[in-house]
Amino acid sequence: MKDGLVLITYADSFGGNLQTLKNNLDSYFQDCISGVHILPFFPSSGDRGFSPLNYTEITPEFGSWEDLAAIGERYEIMADVMVNHISRRSEYFKDWLSKEDKSEYASLFLPIRKVFGTDNPSKEELAKVYRRQPSPPWLDITFDSGKNERIWCTFSEQQIDIDISSEAGIKLFTETVKNLSEKGVKTIRLDAVGYITKKKGTTCFMVEPEIWTILSRLKTISENFDVDLLPEMHEHYSIQQKVSEHGFPVYDFALPMLLLYSWYKKDFAPLKNWLQICPKNCYTTLDTHDGIGVVDAADLLTQEQTDFTVEKL
């Protein structure tokens, strides 16, 4: 994408739908906005679009592919692909529940036993897993045949984890990138990308070298369609540095907290330090749909400096 300001918005947050989004951009912001990151606009079963049923349709209330293409004629578009999960109500998951191993999507999903070799990993193994919630990262499901299975589920029960590196996963990703490219999307944000590496005996988060192997493969696919990839993760700044070293742009999620601290305390040393060591191929971020990240500034600010900033804010 070109250097410039990128607006991040849901499809219905800046006027109600894609048509009014374009009208508002053209009327008030065309001279300052170079791109627009439109948060998930696909049919979804939850999490405001982040539980996609598919990537072949646009939620009817938001508009059409023609509406999206019209935005792309003037502004570079970024869109999301949830490489860690798909909706529980998707046809992919329903097909697997119906046909089990005979489903063409069987390799797309992740039974716990595929990672741990058992449906009941030990407390020690589970303790190593980086989790978003205190409960175990799995869900018990029942196939149409009546057979039970325990599958990986990092986020909500509507967001079933997938194996993006599987044969079915690569096929789905390739078809998705091709479709979005044809509709004018220039950059794809890889949502929740840090969780795509599941390996016994590890944290199952950003597992090396597996994460770089997978990202390299996804990058090769996207380059075939002239689409850039932007890995998304809220984590320690050292991980962003590693991602950048492997040739990907990253988000500068640490910047908002550092700016606020500098503003409130009139102490610019932490900000200066970050600007000297931060990845240079980055999207400098002042806010996101998730709010201002605190974990992203860990060790760039001390706990005392962080607490001071939060309190002042």
Side-chain angles (χ1 to χ4, degrees):
M1 296 183 85
K2 297 175 293 190
D3 283 342
L5 296 176
V6 179
L7 171 72
I8 181 169
T9 177
Y10 286 96
D12 59 348
S13 290
F14 211 61
N17 57 44
L18 293 174
Q19 285 188 353
T20 49
L21 167 62
K22 181 181 183 303
N23 291 339
N24 284 330
L25 291 177
D26 291 347
S27 298
Y28 307 110
F29 297 99
Q30 64 171 296
D31 294 330
C32 61
I33 296 295
S34 63
V36 55
H37 175 189
I38 307 175
L39 291 159
F41 42 77
F42 315 102
S44 171
S45 62
D47 197 14
R48 203 171 181 189
F50 285 92
S51 305
L53 274 67
N54 62 61
Y55 293 98
T56 60
E57 303 174 66
I58 288 182
T59 301
E61 305 92 271
F62 297 159
S64 65
W65 288 114
E66 288 73 25
D67 295 327
L68 186 75
I71 295 174
E73 291 176 1
R74 177 169 288 176
Y75 313 96
E76 295 197 7
I77 298 175
M78 184 190 301
D80 292 273
V81 172
M82 278 51 78
V83 287
N84 180 71
H85 52 263
I86 200 80
S87 172
R88 184 175 186 167
R89 300 182 189 175
S90 68
E91 292 303 317
Y92 313 105
F93 188 60
K94 290 178 181 179
D95 192 79
W96 185 50
L97 289 181
S98 173
K99 301 175 184 176
E100 300 182 34
D101 291 344
K102 294 181 179 180
S103 169
E104 63 179 298
Y105 307 112
S107 69
L108 185 62
F109 299 99
L110 274 166
I112 290 296
R113 56 179 165 75
K114 186 176 180 180
V115 177
F116 292 105
T118 175
D119 285 336
N120 295 289
S122 68
K123 291 182 179 179
E124 291 74 21
E125 289 174 322
L126 186 58
K128 293 178 181 179
V129 177
Y130 184 92
R131 288 179 279 170
R132 291 293 299 261
Q133 52 217 5
S135 59
W138 60 61
L139 183 69
D140 291 318
I141 63 165
T142 302
F143 290 100
D144 292 355
S145 66
K147 172 186 171 183
N148 296 319
E149 185 73 271
R150 179 165 283 177
I151 62 172
W152 207 285
C153 183
T154 300
F155 298 96
S156 77
E157 292 189 0
Q158 282 298 319
Q159 296 162 303
I160 306 298
D161 282 32
I162 61 174
D163 182 359
I164 196 66
S165 64
S166 67
E167 180 181 351
I170 291 298
K171 181 181 179 182
L172 174 62
F173 184 78
T174 303
E175 291 174 348
T176 299
V177 176
K178 180 177 184 295
N179 177 53
L180 292 176
S181 172
E182 291 172 349
K183 302 304 191 296
V185 172
K186 299 296 185 183
T187 302
I188 288 176
R189 187 179 76 150
L190 301 177
D191 179 73
V193 69
Y195 297 92
I196 64 176
T197 50
K198 278 87 169 178
K199 184 179 180 181
K200 183 178 180 178
T202 73
T203 63
C204 297
F205 182 84
M206 290 293 293
V207 178
E208 299 178 279
E210 286 79 0
I211 186 66
W212 310 123
T213 301
I214 299 173
L215 282 176
S216 177
R217 190 172 184 187
L218 299 184
K219 184 177 182 181
T220 298
I221 292 170
S222 67
E223 286 176 341
N224 289 334
F225 300 102
D226 198 26
V227 170
D228 292 328
L229 298 182
L230 173 59
E232 181 269 340
M233 65 196 73
H234 284 283
E235 249 305 325
H236 194 269
Y237 71 87
S238 59
I239 291 183
Q240 302 283 33
Q241 290 174 317
K242 283 186 177 182
V243 174
S244 177
E245 289 167 2
H246 279 82
F248 292 90
V250 297
Y251 278 113
D252 186 352
F253 284 135
L255 188 64
M257 282 292 290
L258 290 167
L259 283 173
L260 288 170
Y261 170 77
S262 300
W263 185 9
Y264 293 144
K265 193 69 173 179
K266 304 299 183 288
D267 171 12
F268 296 90
L271 177 60
K272 179 181 178 181
N273 171 60
W274 177 236
L275 293 178
Q276 290 173 330
I277 67 172
C278 71
K280 300 304 183 281
N281 185 16
C282 66
Y283 287 76
T284 53
T285 308
L286 293 182
D287 197 5
T288 76
H289 64 294
D290 289 325
I292 294 174
V294 176
V295 65
D296 308 281
D299 295 332
L300 295 171
L301 293 173
T302 66
Q303 188 60 52
E304 182 180 8
Q305 291 170 329
T306 298
D307 293 342
F308 165 81
T309 306
V310 172
E311 188 67 26
K312 289 287 287 186
L313 181 61

